[in-house]
Amino acid sequence: MSKPKRDSKIKMIQIDRINILNPRARNQKIFHDIAVNITQVGLKRPITVTPCRSGVPDKDYDLICGQGRIEAFMACGQTEIPALVVDASEEQALIMSLVENLARRQHRASDLLQGIEALQKQGYDSKEIATKTGLGVDYVQGLQNLMEKGEDRLLAAVEAGQMPISLAVRIAEGPEDEQRALQ
């Protein structure tokens, strides 16, 4: 896969013309903090988009990263946002979006799982996913195992902060009675 090409200019883009390729739910406190910061300081970093290749009607761009910034701009009554435009395929954009989400210090487990699932649907195996995300192969395989087994209660425990995702993966590999006891 070739590397995406970057424009050297930042452009003002109509927010309603942007398709959010990899949407995710946002912690409302974090969202509020972003909106307040943008109101007080301004936008520190533009969003990143690519010309729309997803085929969504009435959209000119696919969002690679910056969903929180877009939502904060909209909450502040803005209709345009500064954007860095890169020339990336839909696959490249999805991978860049996933890597951006994983780069956060505290990403939600569901975001990680959603990203890995999206890469699986693109045809990547666990080794390729590990390489693209910087995660270990064993870790990726463990997450895929959780998803395949439909371990909703373990995922819920991770989401609630009751256990790290690495422990959930270990529990899912054990027998059912041990899973209940460990959880």
Side-chain angles (χ1 to χ4, degrees):
M1 172 179 5
S2 63
K3 189 175 180 179
K5 296 177 186 170
R6 295 186 184 266
D7 264 348
S8 58
K9 291 193 312 186
I10 294 174
K11 300 177 182 179
M12 291 301 288
I13 294 178
Q14 288 291 126
I15 293 172
D16 64 355
R17 306 298 296 175
I18 300 170
N19 172 47
I20 299 177
L21 253 184
N22 187 18
R24 63 188 186 91
R26 184 162 313 284
N27 175 309
Q28 287 304 302
K29 181 181 179 341
I30 293 172
F31 167 75
H32 180 266
D33 292 347
I34 292 171
V36 167
N37 189 274
I38 287 173
T39 302
Q40 293 174 346
V41 179
L43 188 65
K44 296 176 194 170
R45 194 173 71 170
I47 64 168
T48 304
V49 297
T50 189
C52 188
R53 291 185 174 81
S54 60
V56 176
D58 300 322
K59 301 295 181 182
D60 298 324
Y61 298 95
D62 288 327
L63 180 70
I64 295 174
C65 61
Q67 179 182 344
R69 287 168 270 167
I70 286 177
E71 291 171 357
F73 255 56
M74 289 171 42
C76 294
Q78 301 296 311
T79 59
E80 292 184 323
I81 190 165
L84 178 64
V85 180
V86 298
D87 184 18
S89 68
E90 187 175 0
E91 176 184 6
Q92 289 170 323
L94 184 62
I95 290 168
M96 291 168 66
S97 175
L98 175 61
V99 169
E100 170 82 9
N101 287 342
L102 291 176
R104 286 188 188 86
R105 286 192 180 144
Q106 293 191 347
H107 55 272
R108 292 180 14 195
S110 60
D111 295 334
L112 177 62
L113 294 173
Q114 181 183 14
I116 287 174
E117 187 175 36
L119 290 174
Q120 275 183 291
K121 286 179 182 176
Q122 292 280 330
Y124 292 103
D125 63 24
S126 54
K127 185 177 178 184
E128 292 168 317
I129 293 170
T131 300
K132 290 183 179 303
T133 61
L135 299 169
V137 175
D138 291 339
Y139 190 72
V140 169
Q141 289 171 337
L143 292 174
Q144 290 171 320
N145 186 31
L146 271 180
M147 291 183 292
E148 287 168 13
K149 290 183 175 182
E151 293 290 351
D152 294 334
R153 68 172 188 247
L154 290 173
L155 292 171
V158 170
E159 282 293 302
Q162 296 170 338
M163 74 173 65
I165 198 161
S166 57
L167 178 58
V169 168
R170 286 189 192 132
I171 291 172
E173 292 170 351
E176 184 72 25
D177 57 335
E178 287 179 20
Q179 287 183 23
R180 278 192 296 279
L182 287 170
Q183 189 175 353

